């Protein structure tokens, strides 16, 4: 969430269709940057946004960047009448969706900003639940005669 809250317009390249996310892996470490391609829908949304502030996401009341929007997502969940979840759940969902679509682990690792594939694998633990469903696709009992 911090990467998104700190996103500046100078880090968004709409012409070439990417943004640069910057983060520190530890308090006194160097800033690590990674280039993330924009899907057409997100690019269109960013193109339509007001660019009058240095930051992409600005609190409409204070006109400053968000520090942490702890009430934003729970309020949206309440309005949508869905079980509340937090931002990290979206990372898990996105990683699982990419993995289910056959995206290589190294690409998912890069998008999530993980230094090690083992960290990304933690996000993909939910895929193990689909193992039973996957193996059941190999079972064709209707093709065997019943005694």
């Amino acid at each position: 969430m911090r990467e998104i809250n700190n996103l500046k317009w100078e880090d968004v390249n709409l012409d070439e269709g990417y943004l640069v996310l910057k983060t520190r892996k530890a308090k006194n470490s160097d800033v690590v940057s990674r280039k993330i391609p924009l899907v057409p829908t997100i690019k269109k949304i960013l193109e339509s946004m007001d660019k009058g502030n240095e930051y992409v996401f600005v609190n409409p009341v204070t006109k400053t960047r968000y520090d942490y929007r702890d009430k934003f997502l729970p309020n949206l969940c309440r309005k949508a009448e869905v079980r509340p979840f937090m931002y990290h759940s979206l990372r898990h969902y996105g990683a699982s969706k990419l993995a289910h679509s056959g995206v290589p682990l190294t690409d998912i690792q890069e998008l999530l900003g993980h230094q090690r594939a083992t960290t990304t694998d933690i996000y993909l633990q939910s895929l193990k639940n689909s193992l039973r469903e996957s193996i059941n696709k190999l079972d064709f009992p209707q093709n065997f005669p019943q005694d």
Side-chain angles (χ1 to χ4, degrees):
M1 195 65 221
R2 188 171 292 118
E3 289 174 321
I4 297 301
N5 287 340
N6 289 330
L7 187 64
K8 295 181 179 182
W9 283 111
E10 68 186 35
D11 300 322
V12 178
N13 187 325
L14 293 171
D15 293 332
E16 294 183 33
Y18 69 86
L19 55 86
V20 176
L21 293 179
K22 300 173 183 174
T23 190
R24 290 183 191 279
K25 296 299 177 184
K27 238 182 189 180
N28 296 320
S29 67
D30 293 334
V31 173
V32 177
S33 299
R34 65 187 195 284
K35 190 187 288 189
I36 305 294
L38 295 172
V39 297
T41 303
I42 299 297
K43 183 179 178 202
K44 189 174 182 178
I45 291 168
L46 288 170
E47 287 171 338
S48 71
M49 291 174 64
D50 178 21
K51 296 169 187 66
N53 193 295
E54 137 182 61
Y55 291 94
V56 175
F57 300 104
V58 180
N59 184 319
V61 176
T62 64
K63 305 293 186 210
T64 59
R65 73 169 179 85
Y66 288 99
D67 182 39
Y68 184 76
R69 297 185 267 181
D70 57 338
K71 293 180 178 83
F72 180 73
L73 198 52
N75 285 341
L76 286 180
C77 291
R78 186 178 35 77
K79 287 178 185 177
E81 298 179 355
V82 298
R83 189 171 41 129
F85 59 89
M86 294 307 289
Y87 297 106
H88 227 73
S89 298
L90 295 174
R91 286 175 60 88
H92 285 273
Y93 173 77
S96 295
K97 187 95 168 135
L98 291 170
H100 276 296
S101 299
V103 174
L105 180 66
T106 53
D107 288 354
I108 298 169
Q109 176 186 347
E110 175 70 20
L111 288 170
L112 294 177
H114 295 153
Q115 292 179 329
R116 287 170 288 175
T118 53
T119 306
T120 306
D121 191 47
I122 293 167
Y123 278 80
L124 302 179
Q125 289 301 312
S126 64
L127 296 181
K128 292 189 177 174
N129 296 333
S130 68
L131 188 58
R132 167 126 352 249
E133 183 181 320
S134 297
I135 198 71
N136 284 341
K137 293 180 185 218
L138 295 174
D139 187 20
F140 300 103
Q142 67 276 9
N143 295 337
F144 296 100
Q146 300 291 323
D147 288 339

